[in-house]
Amino acid sequence: MTPRTKAREFAFKFIYQLHFQDELKQYSVTDTKDFGEQFGQFLSQVDESYMGELEENARIFSIELILNCLNNYDELESQISGHLKGWKIPRLQKIDFALLVLSSAELLYSKDTPKAVVINEAIELAKKYGGKNSSSFVNGILDSIGN
């Protein structure tokens, strides 16, 4: 697993945790103290061997991904919603939605990663954590957003 793959997985778990707790919308740049506390709590729950495996650049990349998700949440939600055909966000599995938020943020705001890489990484995370159809669903939505 590459350092960036590990960083994405870490960021995905953090975004998923916030979404699962219905706290994803509440964070922004102005909420840095609350974000810092939540991030600290999350770090304390993460397996230390996993965190120890993240290189410094991967940690920075992970934090950048998370901040892009939090600071652009409304736009990301709008982008995702606009590409759902016959679906509404509340019907999505929380895992799928967290993957879509994270990967959409990387597609739209992290211009140094090729679109195919972002989508492939999301598909692999969907296969690992999502349901039976998550990988194809995530692939379709991200491909649409990326075009």
Side-chain angles (χ1 to χ4, degrees):
M1 191 180 297
T2 70
R4 281 193 162 216
T5 297
K6 289 179 186 178
R8 282 183 191 92
E9 185 171 24
F10 179 80
F12 158 71
K13 289 177 179 180
F14 184 76
I15 294 300
Y16 173 73
Q17 178 180 328
L18 288 181
H19 182 59
F20 190 78
Q21 297 170 348
D22 292 323
E23 295 178 1
L24 191 54
K25 279 186 168 184
Q26 78 179 13
Y27 291 98
S28 68
V29 173
T30 59
D31 297 320
T32 53
K33 182 176 182 249
D34 289 338
F35 170 73
E37 289 173 10
Q38 182 78 15
F39 195 65
Q41 289 173 0
F42 179 73
L43 289 177
S44 71
Q45 296 170 6
V46 173
D47 179 4
E48 292 209 12
S49 65
Y50 184 82
M51 271 306 290
E53 292 176 12
L54 277 181
E55 298 171 7
E56 186 63 25
N57 287 342
R59 289 179 191 197
I60 291 167
F61 178 65
S62 184
I63 291 168
E64 287 172 357
L65 288 174
I66 292 166
L67 290 175
N68 277 336
C69 292
L70 299 178
N71 292 333
N72 300 292
Y73 179 79
D74 290 336
E75 173 63 24
L76 294 168
E77 186 178 53
S78 176
Q79 284 283 333
I80 293 164
S81 184
H83 290 88
L84 296 174
K85 302 214 182 339
W87 287 79
K88 297 209 181 286
I89 287 177
R91 283 189 57 208
L92 299 181
Q93 291 183 22
K94 289 183 184 286
I95 286 175
D96 293 350
F97 183 69
L99 282 170
L100 289 171
V101 168
L102 177 69
S103 301
S104 296
E106 188 171 4
L107 282 173
L108 297 171
Y109 306 112
S110 299
K111 301 298 183 188
D112 62 329
T113 308
K115 174 184 130 178
V117 171
V118 174
I119 293 173
N120 187 57
E121 294 277 338
I123 290 168
E124 292 305 313
L125 286 170
K127 287 177 182 176
K128 184 173 182 177
Y129 294 104
K132 178 172 86 167
N133 299 316
S134 291
S135 60
S136 59
F137 178 75
V138 167
N139 180 26
I141 300 299
L142 292 176
D143 188 54
S144 182
I145 290 171
N147 288 328

